Amino acid sequence: MVDAGGRAGRWRGAEVAATAGISVQQVRNYVDLGVLPPVERTPAGYRVFTGDHVRALAVVRRMAEGHGWARTREVMAAVHRGDLAAALAALDAGHAELDRERADIRRVLGAFETVVTSPAAVLPAPRRGARIGEVADLVGVRTSQLRLWEQRGLLRPVRERGTGYRVYDAAELRAAQVVALLRRGAYPFDIVAAVLGEMRTTGSAQRVHAELAKREQELHRRSLRRLHASAALYDYLRHRDPALPG
């Protein structure tokens, strides 16, 4: 029988490891975790590797690039214990995550444009300015979050004379709304700060468009890597069970 790479017969553990640039111990660990197929042993107790292990290891590497190690381990272990349903469910969950991220991009972009380009949509601040509790209620966050954003330099409320209470004017209330929208979209603080800086300087949505475009392009790349990984897994499944629909 001819195995992976056109080679017949057994493989030594070191040879299997060399195909992926990992250690023999890692190969053994992968077998123990179920990431690689089970191995037989010789009467003397030596592990017997074959081209199937080399093929599986190549799929593992591709899967890790596309789906991450945690999901790769879950999927490959399910495959090797014969639980195809669990493997497919884990794959579907990974693709669903990308779909949610795409939805987040559309939602945040739409929300940000509403805030920036539609003054009527901006929450009105009281003439005297709004205090922190009022802002928290209007924006839909806790006061502790507003204090954290202030500590990070994202918000700049003034202090009321005599009482020391924070007071947010219309511009700061608007900034608080934008921070809340972007944080709900899982944007890191450095991007939020850049967007606020752009908004305070020019009132333009140009920077947020650029950041969203970068995130969307990275999402496209991740999606392609995930698709490539899933295709490699499908080929592996067909190799293990040629009766699978093609």
Side-chain angles (χ1 to χ4, degrees):
M1 178 180 177
V2 177
D3 286 320
R7 171 177 165 176
R10 299 177 177 179
W11 292 62
R12 292 184 295 119
E15 294 173 318
V16 175
T19 66
I22 62 177
S23 69
V24 175
Q25 185 58 54
Q26 283 180 288
V27 172
R28 294 170 181 165
N29 291 343
Y30 287 174
V31 171
D32 292 341
L33 290 169
V35 174
L36 296 182
V39 296
E40 296 181 358
R41 289 182 180 266
T42 67
Y46 293 108
R47 293 175 177 86
V48 177
F49 293 97
T50 69
D52 285 343
H53 294 93
V54 177
R55 184 177 286 105
L57 186 55
V59 174
V60 167
R61 295 182 69 192
R62 183 66 66 190
M63 285 285 293
E65 291 173 0
H67 291 273
W69 170 245
R71 180 160 285 115
T72 296
R73 183 172 62 182
E74 180 183 4
V75 170
M76 296 302 286
V79 167
H80 292 137
R81 68 174 181 266
D83 192 349
L84 181 58
L88 294 176
L91 284 173
D92 289 344
H95 290 289
E97 288 173 2
L98 294 182
D99 183 62
R100 287 193 293 272
E101 287 189 50
R102 292 185 192 281
D104 284 345
I105 289 176
R106 292 192 296 269
R107 180 175 59 84
V108 175
L109 179 58
F112 186 87
E113 288 187 339
T114 296
V115 171
V116 172
T117 64
S118 302
V122 177
L123 298 171
R127 290 185 180 181
R128 59 172 175 78
R131 291 183 176 175
I132 190 168
E134 295 171 300
V135 175
D137 290 340
L138 289 168
V139 175
V141 299
R142 297 177 178 176
T143 56
S144 59
Q145 286 181 284
L146 293 175
R147 294 189 184 97
L148 173 62
W149 297 344
E150 182 182 348
Q151 291 172 5
R152 288 181 172 271
L154 300 175
L155 300 179
R156 307 168 185 172
V158 298
R159 294 283 184 163
E160 188 178 68
R161 288 185 179 180
T163 65
Y165 290 136
R166 295 172 174 84
V167 177
Y168 298 74
D169 61 15
E172 286 308 302
L173 180 55
R174 184 187 195 193
Q177 188 179 19
V178 171
V179 175
L181 289 168
L182 294 180
R183 289 298 292 162
R184 286 178 190 133
Y187 281 90
F189 282 111
D190 59 339
I191 292 180
V192 175
V195 170
L196 282 178
E198 183 74 17
M199 188 183 73
R200 283 191 167 107
T201 301
T202 65
S204 169
Q206 182 177 0
R207 183 58 181 268
V208 77
H209 276 285
E211 296 296 344
L212 282 167
K214 285 169 55 179
R215 182 176 172 185
E216 195 166 36
Q217 286 303 311
E218 174 56 26
L219 190 60
H220 291 337
R221 288 189 287 270
R222 287 170 53 204
S223 184
L224 287 171
R225 289 197 298 269
R226 200 159 289 188
L227 180 63
H228 194 177
S230 296
L233 177 65
Y234 178 74
D235 288 342
Y236 179 66
L237 292 173
R238 288 269 292 171
H239 169 75
R240 289 173 57 86
D241 183 4
L244 283 177

